[in-house]
Amino acid sequence: MTESVAKVAAPGTVVGTQFEELPDAPPKRKLKFTPVGKVAISIVCFWLVIVVIGPWISPYHEADLIADDSFTPSGEYCSEWEEGMCSFHVLGTDYLGRDVLSRIIYGARTTIGVSFAATVLAYIIGVIFGIAAAVGGSKLDMGLSRVNDAFISIPHIMMGLVIIAAVGSTIPILIVTAGCIYATTVFRISRALALDVMVSDFVESARARGEGLWWIIRREILPNIAMPLATDFGLRLVFIILFISSLSFLGLGVQPPDSDWGSMVKENLQGLVYGSLSPIAPAIAIATLTISINLIVDDVSAHAGGRLAKRML
Amino acid sequence: MMFRMIMRRLGIGVVTLWVVSLLMFAGTEILPGDVAEIMLGQEATPESLAALRGKLGLDKPAALRYLEWLGDMATFDLGLSLAGHSGTGGGGATIEVLIGARLQNTLLLSSIVAAISVPLSVTLGLLAAMFPTSLYDRTVTFTTLCLVAVPEFFIATMLVLILAVQLQWLPSIATMTDFESVWDMLRSLSLPILTLCFVLLAQMSRMTRAAVLNVMSSPYIEMAILKGVPRRRIILRHALFNAIGPIVNIIALNLAYLVSGVVIVEVIFAFPGLAKLMVDGVQVRDMPLVQACGMIFCATYVVLILISDIASIVSNPRLRHPK
């Protein structure tokens, strides 16, 4: 039942604007979020605000060595060497005596920025090749799909490790690596979605009208696959955040002195024994962000019935 | 027909492995400088470089070296590591020696994890599917969604914080030396095992629940409901047997996932396993070692995915007898 509703509603925006006046127009369905979904949206918005205004609200700079001791607990810290040199640290300091809160605020930019860039890249590559495979005839489809199958059957983290072992780790390399690795999944999804549209009656009639391939891609395929792909974008972003922080955690992702949530957990890991918040706070930051995005995607796909993206995980 | 489909799938598996090996080999080719330069480092003179290249066979064309490397891999002659991991200094330890014990450790860890998490998560997922939208089901769905969305190292750090630092029940580092008993060994390995179990449990029970619910929405189940068959009987007699194929598929997929999950966990707990060796290799850019470990991991992964695909072919009558 939900399936059939989904098929009508998924391209809803397009249908809605064209046939709104008709008496039997499908009722407009408003996207409603569950209470949990609303909390999730506010958490994601919170992190986005931090990304934008981070450097202005951060109490210290990410690289400032403030405390002489490592892993000072949260609260006020006064230097033993200089009289009256006191500073306040909400989350304490890390293994080099840097303010943890400031590093998390700065790290939000790196973690979210790098992951977002990689996701966008994955989408650009994946969607272009996916649509090409769907419209370009069976030979092109066979070729692209077989190559993709081979790439998809290498564990992501292994592929990342081998590439980074070969070419080293800088932020551009990290973005390109993650983008290319995750483009394989995007390719599969967008190809499947575009193939669905290509066999539909309205594409057939467009062809009969004599519309060109480019027109069909732009006016029929893209609007119809946009919504499910948008839901999938959120999921893909979560996976890329996890991938990049895992690499950083292994010491192979974002390199110091840049702060990044994954590498912060790694470098402060020994502070766990002293009950320091420095390894836990960035880990919680990642968890809040990824769980929230996942919850939002859940709500949106329950609305759009976009099961395809989930099925093809 | 089924035989032909399986053979075809096997063929694809072999091709995949071949492409993987090409990629792994390409890894060394795009490195600036070659293995001989890295091995000699500062002491490189044109003569010694040429001599070492000759000894290692680096003066041959790339295609030929690739074939030789592939042959060596197939016969488990993994060659020499660049860095002296076992204290020989300046490289030269054979990779088989480095890998041997490590591979055993990793296999031990993953088999314990699999033995615990597979039955548990299938049960959890099945129960959740039996009582959809009940409080139990919603708890399981929400908890597993959160667990799936967090990185492995988050789960690991939390477990260390609670079980090793606060309560001091378990050691925070997993060593593999001198055990007095099996109990001792399990205690030492308990945190890595727990971490991996959590991750696998979350994924597997979610997928099992989805697979069973998927079967539950098919017409013959509807028929059984309309006939008045009790719910428990529907699930155990009708749904479960048809869900076995997807469930086996899910188990194989998740065991394949262990291949990447084990990387993070071994590093956190300093567990002397294969993945730790590989990450160490990446840090010092010891390409032969990385290639060998990478090939082992990828081959395991490809084989497990292969098993999961064959399981779904065998268990699905429609795939077994295509029209």
PDB file of all heavy atoms in Angstrom, chain A residues 10 25 32 71 78 85 120 130 160 162 176 197 217 238 247 253 267 273 313:
ATOM      1  N   ALA A  10       6.481  10.510  -4.654  1.00  0.00           N
ATOM      2  CA  ALA A  10       7.911  10.812  -4.737  1.00  0.00           C
ATOM      3  C   ALA A  10       8.210  11.956  -5.698  1.00  0.00           C
ATOM      4  O   ALA A  10       8.921  12.877  -5.338  1.00  0.00           O
ATOM      5  CB  ALA A  10       8.666   9.561  -5.131  1.00  0.00           C
ATOM      6  N   ALA A  25      -6.612  16.135  -8.384  1.00  0.00           N
ATOM      7  CA  ALA A  25      -5.189  16.261  -8.049  1.00  0.00           C
ATOM      8  C   ALA A  25      -4.904  15.503  -6.756  1.00  0.00           C
ATOM      9  O   ALA A  25      -5.731  15.490  -5.846  1.00  0.00           O
ATOM     10  CB  ALA A  25      -4.835  17.731  -7.870  1.00  0.00           C
ATOM     11  N   LYS A  32       5.973  15.782   7.712  1.00  0.00           N
ATOM     12  CA  LYS A  32       5.837  15.996   9.149  1.00  0.00           C
ATOM     13  C   LYS A  32       6.939  15.236   9.863  1.00  0.00           C
ATOM     14  O   LYS A  32       7.205  14.084   9.539  1.00  0.00           O
ATOM     15  CB  LYS A  32       4.477  15.492   9.620  1.00  0.00           C
ATOM     16  CG  LYS A  32       3.448  16.578   9.753  1.00  0.00           C
ATOM     17  CD  LYS A  32       2.293  16.067  10.592  1.00  0.00           C
ATOM     18  CE  LYS A  32       1.147  17.059  10.569  1.00  0.00           C
ATOM     19  NZ  LYS A  32      -0.116  16.380  10.797  1.00  0.00           N
ATOM     20  N   PHE A  71      45.741  17.060  30.141  1.00  0.00           N
ATOM     21  CA  PHE A  71      44.513  16.506  30.694  1.00  0.00           C
ATOM     22  C   PHE A  71      44.079  17.175  31.989  1.00  0.00           C
ATOM     23  O   PHE A  71      43.782  16.503  32.973  1.00  0.00           O
ATOM     24  CB  PHE A  71      44.650  15.005  30.932  1.00  0.00           C
ATOM     25  CG  PHE A  71      45.013  14.251  29.702  1.00  0.00           C
ATOM     26  CD1 PHE A  71      46.133  13.429  29.681  1.00  0.00           C
ATOM     27  CD2 PHE A  71      44.251  14.362  28.553  1.00  0.00           C
ATOM     28  CE1 PHE A  71      46.474  12.741  28.543  1.00  0.00           C
ATOM     29  CE2 PHE A  71      44.588  13.660  27.419  1.00  0.00           C
ATOM     30  CZ  PHE A  71      45.705  12.852  27.412  1.00  0.00           C
ATOM     31  N   CYS A  78      44.911  27.235  36.828  1.00  0.00           N
ATOM     32  CA  CYS A  78      45.869  28.298  37.110  1.00  0.00           C
ATOM     33  C   CYS A  78      47.276  27.760  36.966  1.00  0.00           C
ATOM     34  O   CYS A  78      47.603  26.693  37.466  1.00  0.00           O
ATOM     35  CB  CYS A  78      45.660  28.837  38.525  1.00  0.00           C
ATOM     36  SG  CYS A  78      44.144  29.774  38.653  1.00  0.00           S
ATOM     37  N   MET A  85      48.039  33.660  36.248  1.00  0.00           N
ATOM     38  CA  MET A  85      47.748  33.199  34.888  1.00  0.00           C
ATOM     39  C   MET A  85      46.679  32.128  34.972  1.00  0.00           C
ATOM     40  O   MET A  85      46.993  30.954  35.138  1.00  0.00           O
ATOM     41  CB  MET A  85      49.005  32.627  34.231  1.00  0.00           C
ATOM     42  CG  MET A  85      49.917  33.677  33.663  1.00  0.00           C
ATOM     43  SD  MET A  85      49.229  34.413  32.189  1.00  0.00           S
ATOM     44  CE  MET A  85      49.515  33.111  31.012  1.00  0.00           C
ATOM     45  N   VAL A 120      29.672  15.398  -1.772  1.00  0.00           N
ATOM     46  CA  VAL A 120      29.294  16.086  -3.004  1.00  0.00           C
ATOM     47  C   VAL A 120      30.058  15.494  -4.185  1.00  0.00           C
ATOM     48  O   VAL A 120      29.487  15.194  -5.239  1.00  0.00           O
ATOM     49  CB  VAL A 120      29.565  17.602  -2.877  1.00  0.00           C
ATOM     50  CG1 VAL A 120      29.408  18.277  -4.223  1.00  0.00           C
ATOM     51  CG2 VAL A 120      28.629  18.221  -1.869  1.00  0.00           C
ATOM     52  N   GLY A 130      26.107   7.023 -13.280  1.00  0.00           N
ATOM     53  CA  GLY A 130      24.893   6.234 -13.108  1.00  0.00           C
ATOM     54  C   GLY A 130      23.884   6.530 -14.207  1.00  0.00           C
ATOM     55  O   GLY A 130      23.327   5.613 -14.817  1.00  0.00           O
ATOM     56  N   GLY A 160      40.893   2.622   1.352  1.00  0.00           N
ATOM     57  CA  GLY A 160      41.439   3.865   1.893  1.00  0.00           C
ATOM     58  C   GLY A 160      42.861   3.669   2.388  1.00  0.00           C
ATOM     59  O   GLY A 160      43.756   4.466   2.093  1.00  0.00           O
ATOM     60  N   VAL A 162      45.098   1.429   1.504  1.00  0.00           N
ATOM     61  CA  VAL A 162      46.079   1.203   0.432  1.00  0.00           C
ATOM     62  C   VAL A 162      46.374   2.512  -0.299  1.00  0.00           C
ATOM     63  O   VAL A 162      47.540   2.849  -0.556  1.00  0.00           O
ATOM     64  CB  VAL A 162      45.556   0.126  -0.551  1.00  0.00           C
ATOM     65  CG1 VAL A 162      46.469   0.035  -1.761  1.00  0.00           C
ATOM     66  CG2 VAL A 162      45.485  -1.210   0.138  1.00  0.00           C
ATOM     67  N   VAL A 176      39.220  13.349  -2.168  1.00  0.00           N
ATOM     68  CA  VAL A 176      39.110  12.607  -3.426  1.00  0.00           C
ATOM     69  C   VAL A 176      38.974  11.113  -3.137  1.00  0.00           C
ATOM     70  O   VAL A 176      38.131  10.426  -3.740  1.00  0.00           O
ATOM     71  CB  VAL A 176      40.340  12.890  -4.324  1.00  0.00           C
ATOM     72  CG1 VAL A 176      40.307  11.993  -5.550  1.00  0.00           C
ATOM     73  CG2 VAL A 176      40.351  14.346  -4.736  1.00  0.00           C
ATOM     74  N   VAL A 197      13.057   5.080 -14.338  1.00  0.00           N
ATOM     75  CA  VAL A 197      12.400   6.175 -15.053  1.00  0.00           C
ATOM     76  C   VAL A 197      12.454   5.929 -16.558  1.00  0.00           C
ATOM     77  O   VAL A 197      11.489   6.187 -17.274  1.00  0.00           O
ATOM     78  CB  VAL A 197      13.074   7.518 -14.697  1.00  0.00           C
ATOM     79  CG1 VAL A 197      12.393   8.660 -15.442  1.00  0.00           C
ATOM     80  CG2 VAL A 197      13.027   7.754 -13.206  1.00  0.00           C
ATOM     81  N   ILE A 217      16.974  13.595 -19.971  1.00  0.00           N
ATOM     82  CA  ILE A 217      17.737  13.528 -18.724  1.00  0.00           C
ATOM     83  C   ILE A 217      17.371  14.704 -17.822  1.00  0.00           C
ATOM     84  O   ILE A 217      17.117  14.553 -16.642  1.00  0.00           O
ATOM     85  CB  ILE A 217      19.254  13.557 -19.019  1.00  0.00           C
ATOM     86  CG1 ILE A 217      19.672  12.256 -19.701  1.00  0.00           C
ATOM     87  CG2 ILE A 217      20.050  13.759 -17.741  1.00  0.00           C
ATOM     88  CD1 ILE A 217      21.120  12.241 -20.111  1.00  0.00           C
ATOM     89  N   VAL A 238      26.612  10.384   6.411  1.00  0.00           N
ATOM     90  CA  VAL A 238      26.934   9.708   7.666  1.00  0.00           C
ATOM     91  C   VAL A 238      28.071   8.718   7.454  1.00  0.00           C
ATOM     92  O   VAL A 238      29.048   8.694   8.203  1.00  0.00           O
ATOM     93  CB  VAL A 238      25.699   8.967   8.225  1.00  0.00           C
ATOM     94  CG1 VAL A 238      26.096   8.045   9.353  1.00  0.00           C
ATOM     95  CG2 VAL A 238      24.663   9.951   8.687  1.00  0.00           C
ATOM     96  N   LEU A 247      39.534   6.914   9.645  1.00  0.00           N
ATOM     97  CA  LEU A 247      40.898   7.073   9.127  1.00  0.00           C
ATOM     98  C   LEU A 247      41.696   8.010  10.029  1.00  0.00           C
ATOM     99  O   LEU A 247      42.841   7.739  10.364  1.00  0.00           O
ATOM    100  CB  LEU A 247      40.865   7.637   7.704  1.00  0.00           C
ATOM    101  CG  LEU A 247      40.664   6.641   6.580  1.00  0.00           C
ATOM    102  CD1 LEU A 247      40.739   7.354   5.254  1.00  0.00           C
ATOM    103  CD2 LEU A 247      41.703   5.537   6.628  1.00  0.00           C
ATOM    104  N   GLY A 253      44.233  10.040   8.653  1.00  0.00           N
ATOM    105  CA  GLY A 253      43.314  10.966   7.997  1.00  0.00           C
ATOM    106  C   GLY A 253      43.834  12.390   8.095  1.00  0.00           C
ATOM    107  O   GLY A 253      44.931  12.681   7.643  1.00  0.00           O
ATOM    108  N   GLU A 267      44.362  11.054  19.691  1.00  0.00           N
ATOM    109  CA  GLU A 267      45.529  11.636  20.384  1.00  0.00           C
ATOM    110  C   GLU A 267      45.304  11.743  21.891  1.00  0.00           C
ATOM    111  O   GLU A 267      46.263  11.778  22.646  1.00  0.00           O
ATOM    112  CB  GLU A 267      45.915  12.981  19.755  1.00  0.00           C
ATOM    113  CG  GLU A 267      44.827  14.023  19.762  1.00  0.00           C
ATOM    114  CD  GLU A 267      45.107  15.171  18.793  1.00  0.00           C
ATOM    115  OE1 GLU A 267      45.907  14.991  17.868  1.00  0.00           O
ATOM    116  OE2 GLU A 267      44.509  16.243  18.982  1.00  0.00           O
ATOM    117  N   VAL A 273      42.250   7.196  31.053  1.00  0.00           N
ATOM    118  CA  VAL A 273      42.617   6.624  32.347  1.00  0.00           C
ATOM    119  C   VAL A 273      42.497   7.660  33.461  1.00  0.00           C
ATOM    120  O   VAL A 273      42.170   7.340  34.594  1.00  0.00           O
ATOM    121  CB  VAL A 273      44.057   6.074  32.285  1.00  0.00           C
ATOM    122  CG1 VAL A 273      44.408   5.341  33.562  1.00  0.00           C
ATOM    123  CG2 VAL A 273      44.208   5.169  31.080  1.00  0.00           C
ATOM    124  N   LEU A 313      21.853  -0.359   0.629  1.00  0.00           N
ATOM    125  CA  LEU A 313      22.979  -0.079   1.497  1.00  0.00           C
ATOM    126  C   LEU A 313      24.149  -0.970   1.171  1.00  0.00           C
ATOM    127  O   LEU A 313      25.272  -0.590   1.174  1.00  0.00           O
ATOM    128  CB  LEU A 313      22.585  -0.305   2.943  1.00  0.00           C
ATOM    129  CG  LEU A 313      21.915   0.872   3.608  1.00  0.00           C
ATOM    130  CD1 LEU A 313      21.623   0.547   5.053  1.00  0.00           C
ATOM    131  CD2 LEU A 313      22.817   2.073   3.530  1.00  0.00           C
TER     132      LEU A 313
END
